[in-house]
Amino acid sequence: MAELKTRVYGLQFGLLCLSSFLFFASFNMIIPELPNYITQLGGAEYKGLSFLSLP
């Protein structure tokens, strides 16, 4: 008998995983630079509050 090979994960699932990874990676690239950016804008006293405002 011929066995049917079905894919467990499809293309849409792979694209979903890739887009989620890139979304979370973008936050991990922005967050370390945020305190320096806030300092350059003149808001050094608000550095601690910047992390509380992020979801």
Coordinates of all heavy atoms in Angstrom, one line a residue:
M1 N 0.8 -1.2 0.0 CA 0.0 0.0 0.0 C 0.9 1.2 0.0 O 1.9 1.3 0.6 CB -0.9 0.0 1.2 CG -2.0 -0.9 1.2 SD -3.1 -0.3 2.5 CE -3.9 -1.8 2.9
A2 N 0.4 2.2 -0.7 CA 1.1 3.5 -0.7 C 0.8 4.3 0.5 O -0.4 4.5 0.9 CB 0.8 4.3 -2.0
E3 N 1.8 4.8 1.2 CA 1.6 5.6 2.3 C 1.5 7.1 1.9 O 2.3 7.6 1.1 CB 2.7 5.5 3.3 CG 2.7 4.1 4.0 CD 3.9 4.0 5.0 OE1 4.3 5.0 5.5 OE2 4.3 2.9 5.3
L4 N 0.6 7.8 2.5 CA 0.4 9.2 2.2 C 1.3 10.0 3.2 O 1.2 9.8 4.4 CB -1.0 9.7 2.4 CG -2.0 9.1 1.3 CD1 -3.4 9.6 1.7 CD2 -1.6 9.6 -0.1
K5 N 2.2 10.8 2.7 CA 3.0 11.7 3.5 C 2.4 13.0 3.7 O 2.3 13.8 2.7 CB 4.4 11.8 2.9 CG 5.2 10.5 3.0 CD 6.6 10.8 2.6 CE 7.4 9.5 2.7 NZ 8.8 9.7 2.3
T6 N 1.9 13.3 4.8 CA 1.3 14.6 5.1 C 2.2 15.4 5.9 O 3.0 14.9 6.8 CB -0.1 14.4 5.8 OG1 0.2 13.8 7.0 CG2 -1.0 13.7 5.0
R7 N 2.2 16.7 5.7 CA 3.1 17.6 6.4 C 2.4 17.9 7.7 O 1.2 18.2 7.8 CB 3.3 18.9 5.6 CG 4.0 18.6 4.3 CD 4.0 19.9 3.5 NE 5.3 20.4 3.5 CZ 5.6 21.6 2.9 NH1 4.6 22.3 2.4 NH2 6.8 22.0 2.9
V8 N 3.2 17.9 8.8 CA 2.6 18.3 10.1 C 2.5 19.8 10.2 O 1.5 20.3 10.6 CB 3.5 17.7 11.2 CG1 3.0 18.2 12.6 CG2 3.6 16.2 11.1
Y9 N 3.5 20.5 9.7 CA 3.5 22.0 9.7 C 3.5 22.5 8.3 O 4.4 22.0 7.4 CB 4.7 22.5 10.4 CG 4.8 22.0 11.9 CD1 5.8 21.2 12.3 CD2 3.9 22.4 12.8 CE1 5.9 20.7 13.6 CE2 4.0 22.0 14.1 CZ 5.0 21.2 14.5 OH 5.0 20.7 15.8
G10 N 2.7 23.4 8.0 CA 2.6 23.9 6.6 C 3.3 25.2 6.4 O 4.0 25.7 7.3
L11 N 3.2 25.8 5.3 CA 3.9 27.0 4.9 C 3.4 28.2 5.8 O 4.2 29.0 6.2 CB 3.7 27.3 3.4 CG 4.3 28.6 2.9 CD1 5.8 28.6 3.1 CD2 3.9 28.9 1.5
Q12 N 2.1 28.2 6.0 CA 1.5 29.3 6.8 C 2.1 29.3 8.2 O 2.3 30.3 8.8 CB 0.0 29.2 6.8 CG -0.6 29.6 5.5 CD -2.1 29.5 5.5 OE1 -2.7 28.9 6.4 NE2 -2.7 30.1 4.5
F13 N 2.2 28.1 8.8 CA 2.8 28.0 10.1 C 4.2 28.5 10.2 O 4.6 29.2 11.1 CB 2.7 26.6 10.6 CG 3.2 26.4 12.0 CD1 2.5 26.8 13.1 CD2 4.4 25.8 12.2 CE1 2.9 26.6 14.4 CE2 4.9 25.6 13.5 CZ 4.2 26.0 14.6
G14 N 5.0 28.1 9.2 CA 6.4 28.6 9.1 C 6.5 30.1 9.0 O 7.3 30.7 9.6
L15 N 5.6 30.7 8.2 CA 5.6 32.1 8.0 C 5.2 32.8 9.3 O 5.7 33.9 9.7 CB 4.7 32.5 6.9 CG 5.2 32.2 5.5 CD1 4.1 32.6 4.4 CD2 6.5 32.9 5.2
L16 N 4.2 32.2 10.0 CA 3.8 32.7 11.3 C 4.9 32.7 12.3 O 5.2 33.7 13.0 CB 2.6 31.9 11.8 CG 2.1 32.3 13.2 CD1 1.5 33.7 13.2 CD2 1.1 31.3 13.7
C17 N 5.7 31.6 12.4 CA 6.8 31.5 13.3 C 7.9 32.5 12.9 O 8.5 33.2 13.8 CB 7.4 30.1 13.2 SG 6.3 28.9 14.0
L18 N 8.2 32.7 11.6 CA 9.2 33.6 11.2 C 8.8 35.0 11.5 O 9.6 35.8 12.0 CB 9.5 33.5 9.7 CG 10.5 34.4 9.1 CD1 11.9 34.2 9.7 CD2 10.5 34.3 7.6
S19 N 7.6 35.4 11.3 CA 7.1 36.8 11.5 C 7.1 37.1 13.0 O 7.5 38.1 13.5 CB 5.8 37.0 10.9 OG 4.8 36.2 11.5
S20 N 6.7 36.1 13.9 CA 6.8 36.3 15.3 C 8.2 36.4 15.8 O 8.5 37.3 16.6 CB 6.1 35.1 16.0 OG 4.8 35.0 15.7
F21 N 9.1 35.6 15.3 CA 10.5 35.8 15.7 C 11.1 37.1 15.3 O 11.7 37.8 16.1 CB 11.4 34.7 15.0 CG 12.8 34.8 15.2 CD1 13.4 34.5 16.4 CD2 13.6 35.3 14.2 CE1 14.8 34.7 16.6 CE2 15.0 35.5 14.3 CZ 15.5 35.2 15.6
L22 N 10.8 37.6 14.1 CA 11.3 38.9 13.7 C 10.6 40.1 14.5 O 11.3 41.0 14.8 CB 11.0 39.1 12.2 CG 11.8 38.2 11.3 CD1 11.4 38.4 9.8 CD2 13.3 38.4 11.4
F23 N 9.4 39.9 14.9 CA 8.7 40.9 15.7 C 9.4 41.0 17.1 O 9.7 42.1 17.5 CB 7.2 40.6 15.8 CG 6.5 41.5 16.7 CD1 6.2 42.8 16.3 CD2 6.1 41.1 18.0 CE1 5.4 43.6 17.1 CE2 5.3 41.9 18.8 CZ 5.0 43.2 18.4
F24 N 9.6 39.9 17.7 CA 10.2 39.9 19.0 C 11.7 40.3 18.9 O 12.2 41.0 19.8 CB 10.1 38.5 19.7 CG 8.7 38.2 20.1 CD1 8.1 37.1 19.6 CD2 8.0 39.0 20.9 CE1 6.8 36.7 20.0 CE2 6.7 38.8 21.3 CZ 6.1 37.6 20.8
A25 N 12.4 40.0 17.9 CA 13.8 40.4 17.7 C 13.9 41.9 17.5 O 14.8 42.5 18.0 CB 14.4 39.7 16.5
S26 N 12.9 42.5 16.9 CA 12.9 43.9 16.7 C 12.8 44.6 18.1 O 13.5 45.7 18.3 CB 11.8 44.4 15.8 OG 10.6 44.2 16.4
F27 N 12.0 44.1 19.0 CA 11.9 44.7 20.3 C 13.3 44.6 21.1 O 13.7 45.5 21.8 CB 10.8 44.1 21.1 CG 9.5 44.8 20.9 CD1 8.5 44.1 20.2 CD2 9.2 46.0 21.4 CE1 7.3 44.7 20.0 CE2 8.0 46.7 21.2 CZ 7.0 46.0 20.5
N28 N 13.9 43.4 20.9 CA 15.2 43.2 21.6 C 16.3 44.0 21.0 O 17.3 44.2 21.7 CB 15.5 41.7 21.5 CG 14.7 40.9 22.5 OD1 14.4 41.3 23.6 ND2 14.3 39.7 22.1
M29 N 16.1 44.5 19.8 CA 17.1 45.5 19.3 C 16.9 46.9 19.7 O 17.8 47.7 19.8 CB 17.2 45.4 17.7 CG 17.8 44.1 17.2 SD 18.0 44.0 15.5 CE 16.4 43.5 15.0
I30 N 15.6 47.2 19.9 CA 15.2 48.6 20.3 C 15.4 48.9 21.7 O 15.9 50.0 22.1 CB 13.8 48.9 19.9 CG1 13.6 48.9 18.4 CG2 13.3 50.2 20.5 CD1 12.2 49.0 17.9
I31 N 15.1 48.0 22.6 CA 15.1 48.2 24.0 C 16.5 48.6 24.6 O 16.5 49.5 25.4 CB 14.5 47.0 24.8 CG1 13.0 47.0 24.5 CG2 14.7 47.1 26.3 CD1 12.2 45.9 25.1
P32 N 17.6 48.0 24.2 CA 18.9 48.4 24.7 C 19.3 49.9 24.4 O 20.0 50.5 25.1 CB 19.9 47.4 24.2 CG 19.1 46.2 23.8 CD 17.7 46.8 23.4
E33 N 18.8 50.4 23.3 CA 19.1 51.7 22.8 C 18.1 52.8 23.3 O 18.4 54.0 23.2 CB 19.1 51.8 21.3 CG 20.2 50.9 20.7 CD 21.6 51.4 21.1 OE1 21.8 52.6 21.2 OE2 22.4 50.5 21.3
L34 N 17.0 52.4 23.9 CA 16.0 53.3 24.4 C 16.5 54.3 25.4 O 16.3 55.5 25.3 CB 14.8 52.6 24.8 CG 13.5 53.4 25.1 CD1 13.1 54.1 23.8 CD2 12.4 52.4 25.5
P35 N 17.3 53.9 26.5 CA 17.8 54.8 27.5 C 18.7 55.9 26.9 O 18.6 57.1 27.2 CB 18.5 54.0 28.5 CG 17.9 52.6 28.3 CD 17.6 52.5 26.9
N36 N 19.5 55.5 25.9 CA 20.4 56.5 25.3 C 19.6 57.5 24.5 O 19.9 58.7 24.5 CB 21.4 55.9 24.4 CG 22.4 55.0 25.2 OD1 22.7 55.3 26.3 ND2 23.0 54.0 24.6
Y37 N 18.6 57.0 23.8 CA 17.7 57.9 23.0 C 17.0 58.9 23.8 O 16.9 60.1 23.5 CB 16.8 57.0 22.1 CG 15.9 57.8 21.2 CD1 16.4 58.5 20.2 CD2 14.5 57.9 21.5 CE1 15.5 59.2 19.3 CE2 13.7 58.6 20.7 CZ 14.2 59.3 19.6 OH 13.3 60.0 18.8
I38 N 16.5 58.4 25.0 CA 15.7 59.3 25.9 C 16.6 60.3 26.5 O 16.3 61.5 26.6 CB 15.0 58.4 27.0 CG1 13.9 57.6 26.4 CG2 14.5 59.3 28.1 CD1 13.3 56.6 27.3
T39 N 17.9 60.0 26.8 CA 18.8 60.9 27.3 C 19.2 62.0 26.3 O 19.2 63.2 26.6 CB 20.1 60.2 27.7 OG1 19.8 59.2 28.7 CG2 21.1 61.2 28.3
Q40 N 19.3 61.6 25.0 CA 19.6 62.6 24.0 C 18.4 63.6 23.8 O 18.6 64.7 23.4 CB 19.8 61.9 22.6 CG 21.2 61.2 22.6 CD 21.4 60.4 21.3 OE1 20.5 60.4 20.5 NE2 22.6 59.9 21.1
L41 N 17.2 63.1 24.0 CA 16.0 64.0 23.9 C 15.9 64.9 25.1 O 15.0 65.8 25.1 CB 14.8 63.1 23.7 CG 14.6 62.4 22.4 CD1 13.4 61.6 22.4 CD2 14.6 63.3 21.2
G42 N 16.7 64.7 26.1 CA 16.6 65.5 27.3 C 15.7 65.0 28.4 O 15.3 65.7 29.3
G43 N 15.4 63.7 28.4 CA 14.5 63.1 29.4 C 15.2 62.1 30.3 O 14.6 61.0 30.5
A44 N 16.3 62.5 30.8 CA 17.1 61.5 31.6 C 16.4 61.1 32.8 O 16.5 60.0 33.3 CB 18.5 62.1 31.9
E45 N 15.5 62.0 33.4 CA 14.8 61.6 34.6 C 13.7 60.6 34.3 O 13.1 60.1 35.3 CB 14.3 62.9 35.3 CG 13.3 63.6 34.5 CD 13.9 64.7 33.6 OE1 15.2 64.7 33.5 OE2 13.2 65.4 33.0
Y46 N 13.3 60.4 33.1 CA 12.2 59.5 32.7 C 12.7 58.2 32.2 O 11.9 57.4 31.7 CB 11.4 60.1 31.6 CG 10.7 61.4 32.1 CD1 11.1 62.6 31.5 CD2 9.8 61.4 33.1 CE1 10.5 63.8 32.0 CE2 9.2 62.6 33.5 CZ 9.6 63.8 33.0 OH 9.0 65.0 33.4
K47 N 14.0 57.9 32.4 CA 14.5 56.6 31.8 C 13.9 55.4 32.4 O 13.5 54.4 31.7 CB 16.1 56.5 32.1 CG 16.9 57.2 31.1 CD 18.3 56.8 31.4 CE 19.3 57.8 30.8 NZ 20.7 57.5 31.1
G48 N 13.7 55.4 33.7 CA 13.0 54.2 34.4 C 11.6 54.0 34.0 O 11.1 52.9 33.9
L49 N 10.9 55.1 33.7 CA 9.5 55.0 33.3 C 9.3 54.4 31.9 O 8.3 53.9 31.5 CB 8.8 56.4 33.4 CG 8.7 56.9 34.8 CD1 8.1 58.3 34.7 CD2 7.9 56.1 35.7
S50 N 10.4 54.5 31.1 CA 10.3 54.0 29.7 C 10.0 52.5 29.6 O 9.3 52.0 28.7 CB 11.5 54.4 28.9 OG 12.6 53.7 29.4
F51 N 10.6 51.8 30.6 CA 10.4 50.4 30.6 C 9.0 50.0 31.1 O 8.5 48.9 30.8 CB 11.5 49.7 31.4 CG 12.8 49.8 30.7 CD1 13.8 50.6 31.2 CD2 13.1 49.1 29.6 CE1 15.0 50.8 30.5 CE2 14.3 49.2 28.9 CZ 15.3 50.0 29.4
L52 N 8.4 50.8 31.9 CA 7.1 50.5 32.4 C 6.0 50.7 31.4 O 5.0 50.1 31.4 CB 6.8 51.4 33.6 CG 7.7 51.1 34.9 CD1 7.4 52.1 36.0 CD2 7.5 49.7 35.4
S53 N 6.3 51.6 30.4 CA 5.3 51.9 29.4 C 5.2 50.8 28.3 O 4.3 50.8 27.6 CB 5.6 53.2 28.8 OG 6.8 53.2 28.1
L54 N 6.3 50.0 28.2 CA 6.3 49.0 27.1 C 5.4 47.8 27.6 O 5.5 47.4 28.7 CB 7.7 48.5 26.8 CG 8.6 49.5 26.2 CD1 10.0 49.0 26.0 CD2 8.1 49.9 24.8
P55 N 4.7 47.2 26.7 CA 3.8 46.1 27.1 C 4.6 44.8 27.3 O 5.6 44.6 26.9 CB 2.9 45.9 25.9 CG 3.5 46.6 24.7 CD 4.4 47.6 25.3

